[in-house]
Amino acid sequence: MMRELALKTRKKAIKRIRRKTPEELATSWCQEDLLYSGKGKAIFMILPTRGCSWALSKSGGCTMCSYLSDSLLEDIKAEKLNKIFKDLISQYRIKEKTAVKIFISGSFLNPEEFPEESRKFILEYLNKIDKIEEIITESRPEYVNKKILIECCKQAPNKILEVSIGLETADDYTRKYKINKGFTKEDFKRAIRCIKSLKGDFNIKSKAYIFIKPILTSEKEAIQDAIDSAVYAEKVGVDRISFCPSTIHKGTVMEELWKRSSYKPPWIWSLIEIINNTRKNLKIPTIMDTSGVGTPRGPYSCKKCNLKLKKLIIESNLTQKTIPPIKCNCYNRWVAEKELGDFTRSTNNIKYQTYG
């Protein structure tokens, strides 16, 4: 049922997409970030590609993801992609330790999504820039294998190469039926083992993305699932964790439920509980994404404390310290929803057939 719903929603969304040029889709920005060596800068770079193969398949893609809205939906030549990359990176004078995070709305290691010539060009180009310490990429686990990882490591031998994988949750049922992710914990473990097996020869690391509050999940369940998933990821052997709180993106199953008052993103207080728990109990670095925090479609608390809490989370990301308690009238409302949420789930009758 979830795959059918995801596919119907995806087809409807694709019809509404305003096609953009590669140059319109490409963008980058720079901000403070936590590197493996400590505080530094990170350049975030979005490169245009055909889009995620999983989202383009008959699976319909993940229930919260709008990657295809930021994709070309057709192949792009390596020469064009290389020029766009050079134009973006040349905007920055890299004078302090920096990480470069490459996002392609899909899997960097899948040659059907990202040309091998461009992968080689970008890694070799970044390898020559002295102050760049880390190159962070993303991939689904099925594209992670020794051959391609060794190629990448040899193309950027002077840098830390990090492969980020969207585990999302340690619960296979949630990943399959609520997220529609299309792989299991065993697939994730195999990919992490593959990365770990190369650490003796290369400076390679792994990161797990953990999604906070999938659809059909209460506030209390979401908090516990994120904490349990982080513990699991550390046990499997990832080097870093990035929590991704839900934000409502257009053209997704999540948005359809949100419009019908059958879903809402997590409270910011929930993010803080997750942060403080993992800071105390995990040894590896954990980062909480704040891109949607405080927005109408993202994690919220109230207008009075949204910005303050967001700033505390950003500071905690850099220091890896817990967030001290602060007072706000909305805190008690969050506590009530967290404790009673399992008993007060939405009673909306979601008629899936109307989504077609």
Side-chain angles (χ1 to χ4, degrees):
M1 170 63 78
M2 187 55 70
R3 282 201 177 188
E4 293 175 7
L5 177 57
L7 185 58
K8 285 183 180 180
T9 306
R10 186 76 41 164
K11 285 180 177 178
K12 188 168 70 173
I14 288 175
K15 289 179 182 178
R16 295 198 302 260
I17 291 175
R18 182 183 74 82
R19 301 294 287 270
K20 298 178 182 177
T21 66
E23 289 79 8
E24 288 177 309
L25 289 171
T27 189
S28 67
W29 66 93
C30 184
Q31 65 186 48
E32 267 197 303
D33 209 339
L34 183 68
L35 281 62
Y36 283 105
S37 62
K39 292 181 186 179
K41 296 287 187 181
I43 296 171
F44 294 74
M45 188 175 295
I46 298 177
L47 298 175
T49 65
R50 65 191 293 268
C52 173
S53 294
W54 176 249
L56 288 166
S57 72
K58 292 182 178 180
S59 71
C62 302
T63 56
M64 71 293 193
C65 180
S66 63
Y67 268 175
L68 292 188
S69 297
D70 300 313
S71 302
L72 291 171
L73 303 180
E74 61 185 20
D75 291 332
I76 181 172
K77 291 184 178 180
E79 295 82 2
K80 181 77 167 178
L81 201 48
N82 297 350
K83 182 182 184 303
I84 289 173
F85 163 77
K86 282 189 70 176
D87 289 343
L88 290 177
I89 197 69
S90 63
Q91 298 174 24
Y92 304 97
R93 294 184 178 181
I94 304 173
K95 295 184 177 181
E96 57 183 294
K97 61 183 183 182
T98 300
V100 176
K101 302 187 178 186
I102 301 169
F103 302 97
I104 68 156
S105 298
S107 295
F108 185 77
L109 301 183
N110 180 6
E112 292 186 5
E113 297 176 35
F114 200 76
E116 293 181 58
E117 308 97 289
S118 291
R119 190 175 70 229
K120 180 177 184 292
F121 176 83
I122 289 171
L123 293 176
E124 290 180 347
Y125 190 100
L126 294 176
N127 188 60
K128 296 174 184 177
I129 301 176
D130 182 57
K131 290 296 182 179
I132 292 177
E133 292 187 358
E134 304 174 13
I135 304 171
I136 292 95
T137 64
E138 297 180 323
S139 180
R140 287 176 60 87
E142 58 262 41
Y143 307 118
V144 176
N145 61 69
K146 282 189 177 182
K147 179 179 179 295
I148 196 168
L149 291 179
I150 290 172
E151 286 176 2
C152 291
C153 289
K154 287 183 175 180
Q155 287 157 3
N158 302 324
K159 312 300 177 187
I160 294 172
L161 179 69
E162 182 181 79
V163 180
S164 307
I165 303 174
L167 170 65
E168 316 301 5
T169 173
D171 184 79
D172 275 338
Y173 180 90
T174 296
R175 193 182 317 98
K176 180 176 181 179
Y177 293 107
K178 298 180 183 181
I179 299 177
N180 194 37
K181 192 72 183 184
F183 64 79
T184 66
K185 279 196 298 188
E186 285 304 312
D187 298 321
F188 177 80
K189 283 172 66 175
R190 181 204 59 78
I192 299 301
R193 283 197 300 265
C194 182
I195 293 168
K196 288 171 67 177
S197 72
L198 298 175
K199 286 189 172 185
D201 299 312
F202 301 102
N203 202 353
I204 187 169
K205 295 183 181 292
S206 63
K207 178 169 67 188
Y209 290 124
I210 293 176
F211 188 67
I212 300 177
K213 203 175 181 186
I215 60 172
L216 310 176
T217 304
S218 71
E219 200 76 14
K220 189 174 184 178
E221 288 171 338
I223 294 168
Q224 193 59 53
D225 179 71
I227 293 169
D228 291 345
S229 299
V231 171
Y232 168 80
E234 183 181 55
K235 184 178 179 181
V236 169
V238 303
D239 298 288
R240 190 156 55 181
I241 289 171
S242 179
F243 289 108
C244 304
S246 70
T247 298
I248 309 298
H249 293 288
K250 291 184 178 181
T252 62
V253 174
M254 181 172 283
E255 185 191 44
E256 296 285 0
L257 297 180
W258 175 71
K259 286 178 177 178
R260 290 160 174 77
S261 301
S262 295
Y263 176 83
K264 62 180 180 179
W267 287 73
I268 302 177
W269 296 111
S270 296
L271 311 189
I272 290 174
E273 181 170 333
I274 293 165
I275 289 169
N276 286 344
N277 183 290
T278 53
R279 292 273 188 272
K280 293 174 184 176
N281 297 308
L282 269 61
K283 295 179 180 179
I284 60 175
T286 59
I287 301 295
M288 180 68 68
D289 179 50
T290 60
S291 57
V293 171
T295 65
R297 286 175 169 246
Y300 61 93
S301 51
C302 72
K303 291 181 180 179
K304 183 179 176 181
C305 68
N306 274 344
L307 184 59
K308 185 175 183 179
L309 294 180
K310 182 175 181 177
K311 287 181 177 178
L312 288 172
I313 292 173
I314 292 171
E315 182 180 345
S316 176
N317 283 341
L318 296 173
T319 64
Q320 291 294 290
K321 294 180 180 179
T322 56
I323 297 174
I326 68 167
K327 293 182 179 180
C328 186
N329 293 336
C330 70
Y331 180 85
N332 289 333
R333 288 193 286 116
W334 165 71
V335 171
E337 181 172 330
K338 181 181 68 166
E339 296 306 320
L340 301 175
D342 289 341
F343 302 100
T344 59
R345 291 175 186 267
S346 169
T347 56
N348 283 24
N349 184 18
I350 305 168
K351 297 180 179 180
Y352 298 115
Q353 66 268 23
T354 67
Y355 288 6

